[in-house]
Amino acid sequence: MITIFLIMFGGGVGAVIRGFLTNYFTHNFNSKLPIATPIVNIIGSLLIGCIMGMSIHTEWVNPFFVIGVLGGLTTFSTLSSELVHILRNEYAFIRFFVYSIIQYLGSLIACLLGYNLV
């Protein structure tokens, strides 16, 4: 039962952080691509990689921090909706492709980097 509460609390914390960062980047940067999502996904992947690399065997770290906080921070559903929105615009395939590469490759490289940093 404690594990469920750790995930719930951590997910709330991560979602609030994501909301704050999304609002910040949306209001302070003018970009044709939604830059907040790759930023949170890449940072989250880096931190998940670090935790994987440290092989922390504390019972609360994975449910609270990895599943909760970082699961609430990173977002595949937002990425998917942004990609659909990009595709709805005429002649947006190159933007779709670039955004996809930034998201997937950037997150994978960040996770690998985090894993190898520790």
Side-chain angles (χ1 to χ4, degrees):
M1 192 68 166
I2 289 181
T3 301
I4 299 296
F5 288 117
L6 288 170
I7 294 169
M8 285 175 23
F9 182 68
V13 170
V16 168
I17 294 169
R18 182 179 71 231
F20 172 78
L21 291 173
T22 299
N23 286 337
Y24 176 80
F25 284 107
T26 301
H27 292 100
N28 293 304
F29 293 92
N30 187 12
S31 174
K32 291 187 180 192
L33 294 174
I35 61 171
T37 305
I39 289 171
V40 298
N41 285 341
I42 290 170
I43 289 171
S45 295
L46 176 71
L47 294 173
I48 288 172
C50 287
I51 291 170
M52 289 171 55
M54 289 188 286
S55 297
I56 298 174
H57 298 292
T58 306
E59 287 187 36
W60 64 270
V61 170
N62 200 43
F64 173 73
F65 198 69
V66 176
I67 298 170
V69 175
L70 296 176
L73 174 69
T74 59
T75 174
F76 189 76
S77 57
T78 301
L79 165 62
S80 299
S81 68
E82 289 170 351
L83 288 170
V84 168
H85 181 71
I86 290 170
L87 276 179
R88 291 184 64 196
N89 295 325
E90 196 171 336
Y91 306 111
F93 184 74
I94 292 175
R95 189 176 297 155
F96 170 86
F97 183 74
V98 168
Y99 193 61
S100 297
I101 295 299
I102 289 169
Q103 286 279 356
Y104 293 112
L105 193 59
S107 294
L108 175 63
I109 290 170
C111 190
L112 284 169
L113 179 66
Y115 183 81
N116 291 307
L117 277 177
V118 289

